[in-house]
């Protein structure tokens, strides 16, 4: 897993472990992510929303798709052709391989090997998310996630915004004992700030924990907290719940997070690769239909109308020639 993985962790700033008396969070819900097909037919694992971890449990995170890790054969890689979004943010983090992106405002670029694209759809935008031509024709390794972060009602109409968070800008930290690497993509961990600017308080971290090591982190009390295993196996929470690749959890209340990496982790990485997500819950009603996440059914009806009448933008002519639109 290239992501951003320096050879030496010893020179990185370290995050001090929480005090012994700090309350460690237990696990409220564990889910094995079901597999499904997304976009033009690429497989994803989606730990939430699910029956176990629904919108209320995941708040402010709406959805997580785990893409790969997969070794594509030539001609096999697929993406998501032009489609709209309104009312939330899409966060695409690519650990291996690349994804190409264009939007109706002329933005876009290549997301690869540890880059993150943080797109605020807000009032509405159209975009496509496609494997680059080289990955389609030659095949290759691909591994990433897409996370949807909700926006409160008062921010759902904010103008679209695009943040390209290159891998080199990720804030790299080590655990107190130097046996875990912490990549802060957005938000704050123990006073260290990630590059992503967020509308609501949200922290997104990709941690790599050495086999057999235990990671203890101070964590904001007010955050609802989720974790998802990208690779490897280990335990999470105060009661050391067993967890492995493709499983997600919601933590309970507390001010410290604990997890350990298994000594005998299977898979391509011996480390436990885990995504840690914290955010202040929004606590509003959610009306969700396909690419739109609003507060009421009427909002959704309006979103479809606005999309059909071009109020969310239109596919740039130069892009229209290259890829079919989602309506074709
Ligand atoms: Mn999309």
């Amino acid at each position: 897993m290239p992501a951003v993985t320096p050879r030496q962790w010893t020179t990185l700033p370290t995050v001090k472990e929480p005090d012994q008396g700090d309350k460690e969070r237990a696990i409220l819900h564990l889910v094995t992510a079901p597999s499904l097909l997304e976009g033009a037919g690429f497989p994803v694992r989606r730990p939430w929303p699910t029956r176990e971890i629904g919108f209320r449990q995941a708040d402010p995170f709406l959805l997580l798709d785990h893409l790969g890790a997969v070794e594509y054969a030539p001609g096999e890689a697929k993406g998501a052709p032009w489609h709209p979004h309104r009312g939330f943010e899409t966060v695409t983090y690519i650990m291996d391989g690349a994804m190409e992106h264009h939007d109706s405002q002329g933005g876009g670029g290549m997301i690869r090997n540890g880059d993150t694209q943080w797109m605020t759809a807000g009032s509405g935008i159209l975009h496509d998310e496609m494997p680059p031509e080289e990955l389609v024709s030659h095949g290759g390794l691909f591994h990433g996630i897409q996370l949807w972060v909700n926006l409160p009602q008062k921010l759902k109409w904010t103008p679209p915004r695009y943040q390209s968070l290159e891998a080199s800008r990720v804030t790299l930290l080590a655990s107190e004992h130097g046996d875990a690497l912490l990549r802060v993509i957005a938000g704050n961990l123990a006073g260290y700030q990630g590059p992503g600017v967020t509308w609501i308080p949200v922290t997104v971290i990709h941690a790599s924990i050495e086999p057999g090591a235990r990671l203890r982190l101070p964590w904001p009390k007010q955050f609802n907290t989720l974790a998802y295993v990208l690779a490897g196996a280990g335990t999470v929470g105060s009661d050391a719940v067993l967890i492995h690749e493709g499983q997600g959890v919601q933590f309970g209340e507390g001010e410290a997070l604990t997890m350990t990496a298994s000594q005998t982790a299977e898979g391509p990485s011996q480390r436990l690769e885990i995504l840690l997500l914290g955010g202040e819950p929004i606590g509003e009603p959610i009306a969700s239909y396909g690419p739109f996440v609003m507060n009421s059914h009427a909002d959704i009806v309006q979103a479809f109308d606005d999309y059909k009448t071009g109020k969310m933008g239109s596919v740039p002519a130069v892009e229209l020639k290259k890829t079919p639109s989602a309506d074709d």
Side-chain angles (χ1 to χ4, degrees):
M1 180 173 307
V4 198
T5 307
R7 213 172 301 174
Q8 286 282 344
W9 300 358
T10 47
T11 53
L12 298 173
T14 57
V15 177
K16 211 172 151 304
E17 288 199 351
D19 295 331
Q20 285 298 336
D22 287 355
K23 187 185 173 192
E24 301 206 353
R25 290 176 180 239
I27 299 303
L28 295 182
H29 299 283
L30 170 86
V31 62
T32 300
S35 295
L36 56 145
L37 294 177
E38 197 34 90
F42 57 88
V44 305
R45 283 179 280 186
R46 183 173 294 171
W48 60 80
T50 44
R51 192 167 47 81
E52 296 86 346
I53 302 179
F55 285 142
R56 199 160 51 85
Q57 286 76 28
D59 190 7
F61 304 102
L62 295 161
L63 174 150
L64 179 67
D65 277 348
H66 184 197
L67 321 167
V70 58
E71 185 73 42
Y72 280 126
E76 202 180 44
K78 293 187 179 72
W82 287 92
H83 59 277
H85 288 297
R86 171 181 281 179
F88 61 102
E89 304 184 281
T90 68
V91 180
T92 310
Y93 172 52
I94 303 297
M95 290 162 277
D96 287 293
M99 188 183 263
E100 207 175 344
H101 159 264
H102 307 94
D103 68 43
S104 49
Q105 304 211 328
M110 198 73 83
I111 319 162
R112 70 171 102 219
N113 296 341
D115 295 339
T116 299
Q117 175 225 98
W118 197 294
M119 188 185 83
T120 305
S123 59
I125 194 165
L126 271 59
H127 75 162
D128 76 344
E129 305 159 279
M130 302 297 286
E133 232 169 270
E134 196 188 285
L135 183 61
V136 177
S137 55
H138 295 104
L141 183 59
F142 181 76
H143 192 198
I145 59 139
Q146 185 168 94
L147 174 72
W148 290 11
V149 182
N150 202 6
L151 291 170
Q153 189 162 28
K154 63 174 193 275
L155 287 171
K156 285 194 183 290
W157 293 92
T158 197
R161 182 173 78 180
Y162 178 84
Q163 296 176 70
S164 178
L165 310 173
E166 291 87 15
S168 59
R169 291 174 57 203
V170 171
T171 301
L172 297 176
L173 306 168
S175 60
E176 185 172 329
H177 302 296
D179 44 17
L181 172 67
L182 303 159
R183 305 169 187 83
V184 186
I185 294 166
N188 188 290
L189 176 68
Y192 296 99
Q193 196 70 35
V197 177
T198 68
W199 281 108
I200 56 168
V202 162
T203 292
V204 176
I205 292 169
H206 169 195
S208 300
I209 308 172
E210 293 282 15
R214 185 170 78 142
L215 174 64
R216 292 183 71 234
L217 293 177
W219 200 252
K221 245 182 180 165
Q222 72 276 18
F223 272 4
N224 188 28
T225 305
L226 303 167
Y228 178 82
V229 177
L230 299 160
T235 69
V236 282
S238 56
D239 28 16
V241 172
L242 287 168
I243 193 169
H244 61 72
E245 179 184 324
Q247 292 187 315
V249 290
Q250 184 201 7
F251 283 86
E253 289 176 7
E255 49 210 338
L257 294 185
T258 303
M259 60 215 82
T260 62
S262 160
Q263 277 287 5
T264 54
E266 291 165 11
S269 166
Q270 286 297 300
R271 293 172 182 150
L272 174 64
E273 304 288 347
I274 190 165
L275 189 68
L276 303 174
L277 305 169
E280 278 186 28
I282 293 170
E284 292 176 359
I286 290 174
S288 158
Y289 195 93
F292 308 127
V293 182
M294 304 300 288
N295 296 104
S296 71
H297 178 71
D299 294 343
I300 295 290
V301 172
Q302 187 186 349
F304 274 99
D305 281 352
D306 288 352
Y307 169 48
K308 284 192 188 129
T309 54
K311 287 190 185 131
M312 293 189 193
S314 52
V315 178
V318 60
E319 297 300 333
L320 209 50
K321 286 182 203 140
K322 289 196 291 193
T323 53
S325 99
D327 289 339
D328 288 349

